[in-house]
Amino acid sequence: MMPASSPWWLLGAGAMGRLFAARLSGARPVCLIGRRDAPNVLHYRDPSGVDHALDVPCCTLTSLVVSDPTPPGLVVLATKSHDTQSALDALSAHVDARTPLLLLQNGFRVQPIVTRQWLGPVLCASTTEGAYVESAPDGGTRVVHAGTGVTWIGDLDHTWPDLAHGVVEALTAAGMRAQVDDDIAQRLWHKLAVNAAINPLVARHRIRNGQLRDRPFRRMVDALIDEIGPLIEGQGVEPPAAGWSALIWQVIEATADNRASMLQDVLAGRPTEREAILGPLRDAARRQQRSTPSLDALYRDTPS
Ligand code: KPL
């Protein structure tokens, strides 16, 4: 189903693309595709703090198809949500339209769109792996695997269970923790709830996740949870077993020292994933004709 000899392309050389490339490179051919050609070495710091220089082809889409015309068995789209459409447009000029895709994006913006648009199978992932990119002393950069997690995989239409199992097996063979999720939409919405309650606030106030437990942020988070939970349930999504508040506060506790991804984007002067994370909630509020004053203010105050 998923022969270990078929190459996987990791499209997007941010933290997640590099992390997946680093982990997979020991088990199968991979290629990390970024905006520019780079030396074929990927610097990776594992969760125990050991540094590795991995032999991974790092190139652009155009140079890859010239240097290695082998078609990919899977393309992992690891771009930020707002870059996904242009990445897909570029990709479709170079690969068969039935090539399987795996989407790693946050939020719930691109997943339904790409699922409708792409001819081949589209799997979605929700991951709790933690990684960031930092400068290395030699002037280059490295990806730091800050915390191991689980990657859940499934497709929105429940059409590709065998493919999802094959990808999970391949990730497991590469030493990653992965599981098939028969309701990946629910998992993506739950993650979106967590991201919506944490990321915009910490990005705006430039604080670590754990500071949300303090005044004045605690009541802001609670007000958001009161709006987010009913909105997502109004989309037909089951609430988490322990409830929205328990889920979100537990993640804040567990990631207290983290600088969330949106804060990292703001600090680096990059566009944020405001639309991917808050957009689907605003659309749901409109559809359900609910008033969401806290979310509206959050959206206005969140850097884009
Ligand atoms: O996923 C995250 C992110 O940084 O985007 C959270 C859960 C907020 C952890 O930092």
Side-chain angles (χ1 to χ4, degrees):
M1 184 74 215
M2 201 43 42
S5 58
S6 73
W8 283 14
W9 292 1
L10 286 304
L11 186 45
M16 276 302 146
R18 293 187 201 204
L19 174 65
F20 274 65
R23 298 310 310 265
L24 286 161
S25 63
R28 64 180 319 117
V30 291
C31 183
L32 182 63
I33 303 173
R35 291 181 205 276
R36 46 196 96 68
D37 288 308
N40 288 344
V41 55
L42 178 58
H43 294 283
Y44 166 67
R45 175 167 290 176
D46 72 24
S48 52
V50 177
D51 287 324
H52 307 260
L54 305 169
D55 185 12
V56 173
C58 304
C59 45
T60 62
L61 207 42
T62 329
S63 63
L64 172 63
V65 289
V66 173
S67 64
D68 181 1
T70 318
L74 179 82
V75 177
V76 183
L77 275 183
T79 57
K80 290 281 186 185
S81 176
H82 41 263
D83 291 328
T84 306
Q85 188 62 55
S86 56
L88 207 58
D89 292 345
L91 183 70
S92 45
H94 296 291
V95 299
D96 188 294
R98 287 155 303 176
T99 306
L101 302 181
L102 174 63
L103 307 182
L104 291 190
Q105 283 65 32
N106 268 332
F108 199 70
R109 209 15 143 215
V110 295
Q111 292 85 349
I113 298 174
V114 178
T115 299
R116 278 197 304 273
Q117 184 183 336
W118 189 253
L119 204 57
V122 177
L123 299 177
C124 304
S126 176
T127 187
T128 56
E129 297 279 5
Y132 58 90
V133 175
E134 68 175 16
S135 315
D138 67 355
T141 55
R142 72 176 152 232
V143 60
V144 179
H145 195 176
T148 55
V150 183
T151 300
W152 301 87
I153 292 180
D155 72 288
L156 296 182
D157 297 331
H158 314 281
T159 314
W160 307 103
D162 292 347
L163 180 66
H165 279 280
V167 171
V168 162
E169 274 168 27
L171 293 177
T172 309
M176 298 178 77
R177 281 162 65 209
Q179 290 193 33
V180 171
D181 194 330
D182 294 330
D183 194 349
I184 194 70
Q186 171 174 303
R187 194 164 296 272
L188 288 165
W189 275 110
H190 286 189
K191 174 98 187 288
L192 182 147
V194 169
N195 285 141
I198 299 177
N199 283 10
L201 279 179
V202 296
R204 173 167 180 228
H205 297 285
R206 302 188 174 218
I207 54 175
R208 288 184 190 257
N209 295 357
Q211 290 174 267
L212 292 173
R213 295 173 295 193
D214 306 332
R215 267 188 309 187
F217 305 114
R218 190 173 193 96
R219 63 178 170 70
M220 297 182 192
V221 175
D222 283 333
L224 287 169
I225 295 173
D226 287 346
E227 292 181 9
I228 292 169
L231 270 182
I232 297 183
E233 288 175 44
Q235 292 300 111
V237 175
E238 292 286 323
W244 296 105
S245 185
L247 171 73
I248 289 163
W249 282 111
Q250 178 259 319
V251 175
I252 292 172
E253 211 51 61
T255 63
D257 287 339
N258 279 25
R259 279 205 182 90
S261 54
M262 195 181 277
L263 174 57
Q264 292 178 41
D265 288 338
V266 167
L267 295 176
R270 294 188 293 256
T272 73
E273 293 193 302
R274 178 178 79 157
E275 296 306 323
I277 293 171
L278 297 181
L281 293 171
R282 287 164 62 76
D283 291 347
R286 264 192 299 275
R287 275 195 297 273
Q288 297 170 32
Q289 300 185 338
R290 277 179 194 273
S291 118
T292 53
S294 302
L295 271 172
D296 294 346
L298 185 74
Y299 181 80
R300 274 196 308 273
D301 294 339
T302 301
S304 59

